[in-house]
Structure formats: structure tokens, C-alpha cells
Amino acid sequence: MSQKCIIVGMSHAGIHLATSLRQYGWQGEILMIGNEDILPYHRPPLSKTFLKKQSDTTLIYPESNFEKYQIQFRLSTSVDFIQIHNKSIELDSGEVINYDKLALCTGGRARKLNIRGSKLEGVHYLRDIRDAQKLREHLKYVKKVVIIGAGFIGLEIAAVLVEQGIEVTVVEANSRILSRNLDEAMSNYFMQLHAEHGVEIKTNIGIREIQGQHHVESVLCDDGSKFDADAVIIGIGVIPNVELALTAELEIENGIVVDKFACTSNIDIVAAGDCTFFPSNHLQRSVRLECLANAVDQAKTAAATLSGNSIPHSALPWFWSEQYDKRLQVAGVIDHYEQVIIRQSFANGGFSRLYFQGNVLKMAVCVNSAKDFIAAKQLIVQKTALDLNVVQTQSDLKKCVLKK
Ligand SMILES: Cc1cc2nc3c(=O)[nH]c(=O)nc-3n(C[C@H](O)[C@H](O)[C@H](O)COP(=O)(O)OP(=O)(O)OC[C@H]3O[C@@H](n4cnc5c(N)ncnc54)[C@H](O)[C@@H]3O)c2cc1C
């Protein structure tokens, strides 16, 4: 008898899981359920090109692909409960649907800042298309913006806004920006880049309150400093959506715990994407990542598992960011490194920072140097020993491999 797979969450992980299921030969029904009112769309442009122009967002696949892959879907529908004893889910409408296999691709949501004034009009978060549309509309009328949090989303927005002539101040509680993903040298690089474009970044400052009557007027910091603002954008991280998994009593840590096959603690339930806490074979410990490549790769692993092909999730994590005319691409993640080698003099201010343990490349941080990034990804996966004497000078990174 044909089996039914329900996928909860219609974004990057969900849609790649669904299409990969078909590619792995899943014959049964596939039903995707998402609580947004739009088909899966590209989320990364929301803090980049989408804020600049009046165009609509781009769908990951046209609607015709759902027919082609025989994927049914329900939009604007939330899954509220999982009953594992009879393998069913309950929707917000009260409707109950049975599954044979269930995939949780519930992603994450913006962490909220609960301080006085955080609910005033003019305070924004940016996680989905509706947040982005609301923000873009409001930006037409603002002159001064305070961004709380100097992570990638906050800084990407800062870059877009300042180029539109808006005065931007970024306030960060940590001692340096982008500290969760990059080392101090890269934090300094981005600090300087933003300063050159006129963005004021304040580090080591907490927020006391957001001030205003109905609408935001200013932001008061812990040290007494105050910044006027017509809009405040809060970008202080992402919380994994694990509430649904909790109704099935699945194991949760910093996300839904899955093994290298994307299996949760229940044999009929897999999970993929930003909502998971998974064993990384690159870090040799479990992590939760918030990057598109991981969501897509893990979704493919989950689809393989559901269709009886056990292929462990071992893809190298990578992500990118765009700020001004700089495209940052980062391959790999590491806790420790012994040496950094910098390759410079590429076009348009490009450079790469290569992080080594011994003579093996573990991570690469590339700015406007896509060729190095592509080579580095390959070298990291291959764990190849490199001749460190020529890494700075050899134009093709791949040619630095030590001959055996
Ligand atoms: C503004 C922005 C810019 C980004 N830029 C980059 C970038 O440059 N590079 C990069 O690598 N990554 C970037 N990311 C991160 C990337 O978008 C995420 O890693 C990716 O979207 C994760 O996909 P996902 O499917 O796991 O989760 P999500 O995209 O979070 O999708 C989860 C979906 O599930 C839905 N859902 C949750 N619970 C339920 C439920 N109970 N019932 C029904 N539906 C539910 C949610 O509403 C959502 O639609 C960016 C993210 C944002 C927000």
C-alpha cells in the first residue's frame, strides 16, 4: 500500500525534502503544510536585494513544479500537535490527518527583545516575506534607523539602508560584531567597511528601552546614550521552532535532536534545516546551523532516509553574505586553528583568509574571491595537505596540494 509523507514547514528545507523524496523514488503521497501564505520562496534576498527594489520575492519553484512532482500543499495552515500513538497530526482548524512518515522542517523565528517600548509602532524584525514587505514600505518614510544587533542580517540591512541615504546606527551588546561566526580580524574588517560607508556601529552596549508615544522615537542604551530613530530593526538571533516536536516528546536540545541520517528520536519522524541540532562530522560535536546550504543538504539526507537509502549528512557547511559591493563566502566551521594565511590582491578588494590545522585547510573566509572559495571547499572536504610555503603566492589554490 502506498505510504503518505507529511512535511511540516514550506521553506528551503521542506521543499528540497519533498522534491528529493521523488528523486529517491518515493511513490506515495507527499503533503506539505506551511503556516505562511505563500509558496516556498528565497529567504536570503529579504535582507539584501528585496529591501532595495519594489519587485516581488522569487519562488524557489514555480507552482507547476508541485504538479510535476505530485506534491500537495496547504498554505496558511499551522500544524499544532503530533500524536505519535496513532501517527497523526492536528491542524489549527482541528482537522486530524494520518501519516506514515513525518518530516519537521519548522525552521526558526526571530528572537524577540522584551524591553519597554519593543512593541511600539516602527519596531521591526525580519524573518519572513511579510516582515520584509512591512519594513520596505516603512523605509520610504524614514530618515534615521537604529539596528539592534550586529549579526549578518542587521549588517546586511545597514548596508542597504545607508546606500539609500538613511542615517544608520547599529548597537551591539558584544565587544565585537559578527562574533558568532567570524574571528576578530574579520570583525574589524566589517567594522571598517561600514564606517567607510557612514554606518555608526556601537559595540559593548546593551539597550535599556525603546522610547516613543505610539511610534518609536529613540533608543536609550544602558550607558545612558540615546539615538533618535524613525524605525528600529531588531536582529538579535533566531530561535528554533521546536514547539511542535515537543508535543511528540521528541528529544530537544538547541533544536530538534537528529542523528546523521536526520532521524529524530522517533523512528517515523525526520527533521531538517534551521530547527535541528545535529552531529557535525566537521566539528566532531552537535550543532545547530542557520544557513541555507545546510538546510538543503540535510533535507536531502532526510529524504534519502525516508525512502530507505541511508546516506549520512556530511556536507561541508558554508554560507554567504552580501554587504555593499562585498560578497563574503565562508566554507567550513572550526573551533580551533593553528595558523591563518591571507591571500590578497584579487580584483575589487578581494582576499581570502585560510585557517589551517597543521597543513590541512579547515575553514576559508573569502571576500570577493569566489575562485578561492570554490577551491577551498574542495580542499577542506578532501582534507588534503597543502604546501604552506606557496599558499600566498600560487594563483590557483588547488595547485598548492603537496605531491605524495
Ligand atoms: C533575512 C534573512 C537573510 C538570510 N540570508 C542568508 C544568507 O545570505 N546565506 C545563508 O546561508 N542563509 C541566510 N539566511 C538563513 C536561511 O534563510 C535559512 O537557513 C533557511 O531559510 C532555513 O530554511 P528552513 O526551511 O530550515 O527554515 P525556515 O526558512 O525558517 O522555514 C520554516 C518554515 O516552517 C514554517 N513553520 C514553522 N512551524 C510550523 C508549523 N507548526 N506549522 C506549519 N508551518 C510551520 C515557518 O513559518 C517557515 O515558513 C537568511 C535568513 C533570513 C531570515
Side-chain angles (χ1 to χ4, degrees):
M1 207 179 70
S2 122
Q3 296 227 315
K4 176 171 188 160
C5 177
I6 296 182
I7 301 170
V8 186
M10 289 181 66
S11 182
H12 291 281
I15 188 64
H16 284 96
L17 203 156
T19 50
S20 303
L21 263 182
R22 287 290 180 233
Q23 281 150 6
Y24 281 115
W26 178 270
Q27 300 284 328
E29 227 180 290
I30 301 176
L31 171 62
M32 295 189 75
I33 304 176
N35 58 10
E36 294 189 66
D37 56 2
I38 172 172
L39 288 173
Y41 56 89
H42 291 284
R43 211 172 280 277
L46 298 184
S47 50
K48 307 174 184 76
T49 49
F50 183 85
L51 285 185
K52 287 184 201 166
K53 52 186 190 207
Q54 292 308 307
S55 65
D56 260 341
T57 188
T58 37
L59 297 181
I60 299 175
Y61 289 119
E63 189 165 349
S64 55
N65 269 33
F66 285 80
E67 215 172 300
K68 179 176 154 198
Y69 287 101
Q70 292 180 288
I71 299 166
Q72 297 162 29
F73 63 88
R74 294 207 197 177
L75 299 176
S76 306
T77 305
S78 189
V79 179
D80 287 350
F81 291 102
I82 304 170
Q83 316 262 6
I84 43 173
H85 66 276
N86 64 357
K87 291 173 76 172
S88 69
I89 53 159
E90 187 177 327
L91 308 184
D92 47 0
S93 61
E95 186 185 348
V96 173
I97 312 176
N98 286 95
Y99 63 82
D100 295 294
K101 298 288 177 189
L102 183 64
L104 302 181
C105 302
T106 50
R109 59 182 181 272
R111 184 187 296 279
K112 299 281 188 246
L113 183 64
N114 291 316
I115 54 168
R116 196 193 312 193
S118 59
K119 294 201 167 69
L120 285 170
E121 269 176 45
V123 176
H124 297 266
Y125 293 88
L126 180 52
R127 180 69 195 175
D128 61 33
I129 179 71
R130 302 303 164 215
D131 296 336
Q133 284 169 334
K134 199 170 129 210
L135 175 60
R136 191 170 69 177
E137 185 55 28
H138 188 195
L139 289 176
K140 289 179 191 161
Y141 310 99
V142 309
K143 289 195 168 63
K144 289 184 180 183
V145 169
V146 171
I147 297 176
I148 300 175
F152 282 111
I153 291 183
L155 292 178
E156 286 177 356
I157 298 171
V160 172
L161 267 48
V162 82
E163 288 194 322
Q164 290 177 0
I166 297 170
E167 206 176 294
V168 184
T169 306
V170 181
V171 184
E172 166 61 50
N174 283 326
S175 57
R176 62 183 180 86
I177 65 173
L178 300 170
S179 57
R180 210 155 58 90
N181 301 88
L182 299 178
D183 67 5
E184 198 169 343
M186 286 308 297
S187 296
N188 293 340
Y189 169 80
F190 278 105
M191 276 293 273
Q192 196 182 331
L193 181 69
H194 281 278
E196 280 164 12
H197 285 83
V199 173
E200 188 180 19
I201 302 183
K202 304 278 183 192
T203 52
N204 263 327
I205 304 189
I207 306 294
R208 193 177 300 165
E209 64 177 277
I210 302 174
Q211 299 176 320
Q213 288 298 318
H214 299 289
H215 199 281
V216 57
E217 289 168 18
S218 57
V219 172
L220 180 63
C221 300
D222 281 346
D223 66 352
S225 55
K226 188 170 160 175
F227 302 100
D228 291 342
D230 309 313
V232 170
I233 303 164
I234 301 174
I236 54 169
V238 170
I239 296 182
N241 291 323
V242 298
E243 290 72 9
L244 180 62
L246 280 170
T247 68
E249 295 182 6
L250 299 183
E251 196 186 335
I252 306 291
E253 276 193 45
N254 175 24
I256 305 169
V257 175
V258 293
D259 62 16
K260 61 185 176 185
F261 300 105
C263 248
T264 68
S265 49
N266 182 293
I267 193 164
D268 294 309
I269 309 178
V270 295
D274 281 17
C275 64
T276 64
F277 187 67
F278 68 95
S280 156
N281 70 338
H282 297 279
L283 278 173
Q284 299 292 312
R285 63 178 169 87
S286 284
V287 284
R288 192 173 67 76
L289 297 178
E290 294 155 14
C291 64
L292 193 136
N294 182 64
V296 172
D297 291 328
Q298 203 179 23
K300 290 179 184 165
T301 298
T305 300
L306 291 180
S307 38
N309 305 282
S310 293
I311 304 169
H313 174 51
S314 61
L316 182 74
W318 64 270
F319 68 90
W320 80 100
S321 172
E322 288 160 22
Q323 293 168 47
Y324 310 103
D325 61 346
K326 304 288 184 259
R327 184 172 175 86
L328 169 79
Q329 292 169 297
V330 178
V333 275
I334 41 166
D335 289 327
H336 307 288
Y337 56 88
E338 288 161 2
Q339 189 180 168
V340 186
I341 298 184
I342 304 164
R343 282 162 61 81
Q344 228 137 14
S345 81
F346 299 91
N348 200 12
F351 66 90
S352 307
R353 288 176 63 83
L354 305 175
Y355 298 75
F356 287 91
Q357 264 171 12
N359 56 5
V360 176
L361 183 60
K362 292 289 180 180
M363 176 169 154
V365 174
C366 307
V367 173
N368 287 357
S369 72
K371 194 175 161 210
D372 267 10
F373 171 69
I374 293 164
K377 264 170 76 179
Q378 204 176 318
L379 294 170
I380 296 170
V381 171
Q382 289 168 347
K383 301 187 170 84
T384 328
L386 301 188
D387 180 354
L388 301 191
N389 295 318
V390 298
V391 163
Q392 262 182 330
T393 50
Q394 171 58 257
S395 64
D396 183 353
L397 192 56
K398 279 194 266 180
K399 291 196 177 141
C400 300
V401 172
L402 272 177
K403 303 235 174 357
K404 284 187 186 138

